[in-house]
Each structure stands twice: as C-alpha cells, then as structure tokens.
Amino acid sequence: MDGEVPLRERLVDAGVELVLSEGTASVGLREIARRAGVSHGAPRRYFPTHQALLSAIARKGFEELGARSAAATAGTAVPRDELAALARVYVTYALERRGMFELMFRHDLLDSGKQRATPDGPRLREATLPMFQRLTELVARCRGQALESSAAVTAAALWANLHGIAQLLSWGSLQLALGNGGSDSHDRLIEAALDAHLGPMAS
C-alpha cells in the first residue's frame, strides 16, 4: 500500500507525463488518477483543487529547468558566459517542453495566494524567484555593480526578451521573419538579446 508521499509523487509524475504528451488542456484529475492507477477521488486527498495539482506539476518543470541550468553552468566562471548558458537552456527548454513551459507561466497558477488550502501546498510564484535572482546577480556582475534596482530591472527586461524569443520560436514566427529555420538562429538571437541589455562584448 502506498504511503502519502509516494502516492502524491505518482500523481504528479502522471500529470507531468500527460502535460508532455498531450498538452495542458488534457490534464484532468480523473485522467491523472487513471494513469496513476488509483480511484478518481484519490487526487483530492492531496490536491483539494485542480489548480493545486497543476501547480505541483508546474513546479516539477521549474525543478527540471533548474537542474538543466546548473549542469550547463557548472565550472563557468565568467558572468557573461554563464548568462549565455542560462539563456540557451531557457530557450531550449521552452522548445523541447512546450506544454510544461506554458503551464509553468500560467498567471492563475502563479498567484500563490489562491493556493493556501493546504499548508504544504506548492507556492508556484516562489518557484520563479531563484531563477530571477540568479539572473540579477549575473547582470550585476557583468556590469561590475552591487545588487540594486537597476540590475533587477535589466534582468527583468532580459528575461522578458528571452521569454519572447522562446515563445515566438515555438510558434514559428521568428523563423518566418528571419527567413530561416536553423537552430543556429537561436544562439544569434540570444547573443543579440545579451548585447541589447548588457552591451556588446569587448573585442
């Protein structure tokens, strides 16, 4: 018989598989219960609302993105190089995990205040903060500044730029506008975004 933690993880994992294979529109409590091999009422023991379950699934996406980012930047000592690596991971993740990426940034799920029905429930908004704080630290280091509001604003603008690149690439809009579909355009777009917000690298 499953204990509480394993069953909860099984439900979340089933939801992750469903998001990746069929998209966010297909994620329902009954289908997740069926895939996890439990009764359709079982998810309610752990997730009082559909939103709470979706939030837990999306948090898995942030965990995976964080793991990919850590692996990509391991041993990187130059702030600009680390920013470029993080940016490539972000855009690549968005293209490879489109359903999950969409779920991770659902505004209704990012409102943590609506998720307090369970004391240990996921706080999805907070899951975005480590990523943004890391961006801000790296922007400050690239500029040789202490952490301050201007670094945070630049980091936010860079994040928005990267998110837009990821979305427009996933829709095929940038490939059409640029007249190419090659993956090399991803790196050029990322470098252009870094140059726009941090200035070009010294030659």
Side-chain angles (χ1 to χ4, degrees):
M1 182 175 181
D2 289 306
E4 180 172 345
V5 173
L7 178 52
R8 186 183 189 281
E9 290 176 357
R10 280 172 55 198
L11 291 167
V12 173
D13 289 343
V16 169
E17 292 176 4
L18 192 58
V19 168
L20 294 178
S21 64
E22 300 185 29
T24 58
S26 301
V27 182
L29 292 173
R30 283 179 175 269
E31 178 59 19
I32 287 174
R34 187 187 70 77
R35 290 188 175 219
V38 296
S39 68
H40 65 80
R44 295 289 186 186
R45 293 164 49 196
Y46 308 95
F47 305 101
T49 65
H50 187 214
Q51 184 187 56
L53 176 55
L54 291 176
S55 297
I57 294 167
R59 181 178 277 277
K60 284 285 190 179
F62 280 108
E63 291 173 0
E64 182 184 20
L65 179 59
R68 288 192 183 195
S69 299
T73 57
T76 305
V78 179
R80 176 75 173 239
D81 291 346
E82 188 169 345
L83 267 176
L86 289 174
R88 285 192 293 271
V89 167
Y90 190 83
V91 172
T92 300
Y93 186 87
L95 297 176
E96 292 180 354
R97 298 282 209 246
R98 290 182 61 179
M100 181 63 78
F101 191 76
E102 175 187 344
L103 184 62
M104 287 161 62
F105 293 97
R106 283 264 304 269
H107 290 180
D108 55 330
L109 301 183
L110 287 173
D111 185 355
S112 300
K114 295 179 180 178
Q115 300 173 30
R116 302 201 178 274
T118 56
D120 61 343
R123 300 289 183 261
L124 188 55
R125 185 183 298 279
E126 286 83 341
T128 68
L129 294 179
M131 176 183 67
F132 179 65
Q133 288 165 352
R134 187 62 183 148
L135 283 178
T136 302
E137 291 168 3
L138 290 170
V139 165
R141 287 173 58 195
C142 285
R143 293 172 149 192
Q145 297 176 329
L147 288 177
E148 55 185 29
S149 60
S150 62
V153 169
T154 300
L158 176 59
W159 180 15
N161 198 163
L162 294 172
H163 197 87
I165 288 171
Q167 289 282 33
L168 291 171
L169 283 173
S170 72
W171 295 332
S173 301
L174 284 178
Q175 295 90 326
L176 180 63
L178 295 173
N180 67 70
S183 59
D184 63 317
S185 63
H186 302 180
D187 284 341
R188 286 185 290 156
L189 287 165
I190 289 168
E191 285 301 322
L194 292 173
D195 287 348
H197 295 289
L198 300 174
M201 292 185 68
S203 57

